[in-house]
Amino acid sequence: MKELCKALDNLPKIVKILLCLPVLDIVWAIYRIGEAVANKNVIHLILGILWIFFGATIGWILDLISIIVANRIFWFKA
């Protein structure tokens, strides 16, 4: 899982922005779940699973703004 997270972190900014679109935001939800599993963080795991549903409504906008401003997704770092 850490390899997947590292690979997604190293993507070009334009690809990260494209992955923020409403249907493709599932990639970032999987990223969040993978990061939570790798860090053994139960709260982040639950939030990552909820993001699958939340990301389709408004979460993708938070990700988009966060990537444009900070070049990382909207999330808590463990």
Side-chain angles (χ1 to χ4, degrees), residues 1-2 6-7 11 14 21 24-26 29-31 36-38 40 45 49 51 54-55 61-62 72-73 78:
M1 275 300 174
K2 286 192 179 228
K6 191 172 183 178
L11 288 175
I14 190 72
L21 297 176
L24 299 176
D25 197 53
I26 190 82
I30 294 168
Y31 170 88
V37 168
K40 298 178 182 163
L45 178 63
I49 292 169
W51 193 272
F54 177 67
I61 297 171
L62 295 172
R72 66 181 192 89
I73 61 167

Side-chain angles (χ1 to χ4, degrees), residues 33-51:
I33 293 169
E35 191 173 272
V37 168
N39 293 328
K40 298 178 182 163
N41 191 327
V42 177
I43 294 174
H44 285 186
L45 178 63
I46 293 168
L47 290 174
I49 292 169
L50 290 174
W51 193 272

Side-chain angles (χ1 to χ4, degrees), residues 4-78:
L4 174 66
C5 293
K6 191 172 183 178
L8 287 172
D9 283 335
N10 293 331
L11 288 175
K13 192 172 192 174
I14 190 72
V15 175
K16 289 180 181 181
I17 289 172
L18 290 174
L19 290 175
C20 287
L21 297 176
V23 175
L24 299 176
D25 197 53
I26 190 82
V27 172
W28 293 122
I30 294 168
Y31 170 88
R32 289 175 172 91
I33 293 169
E35 191 173 272
V37 168
N39 293 328
K40 298 178 182 163
N41 191 327
V42 177
I43 294 174
H44 285 186
L45 178 63
I46 293 168
L47 290 174
I49 292 169
L50 290 174
W51 193 272
I52 293 172
F53 306 106
F54 177 67
T57 57
I58 193 161
W60 68 273
I61 297 171
L62 295 172
D63 280 343
L64 182 65
I65 292 169
S66 181
I67 285 182
I68 290 171
V69 173
N71 200 25
R72 66 181 192 89
I73 61 167
F74 178 77
W75 196 242
F76 314 99
K77 286 297 178 182

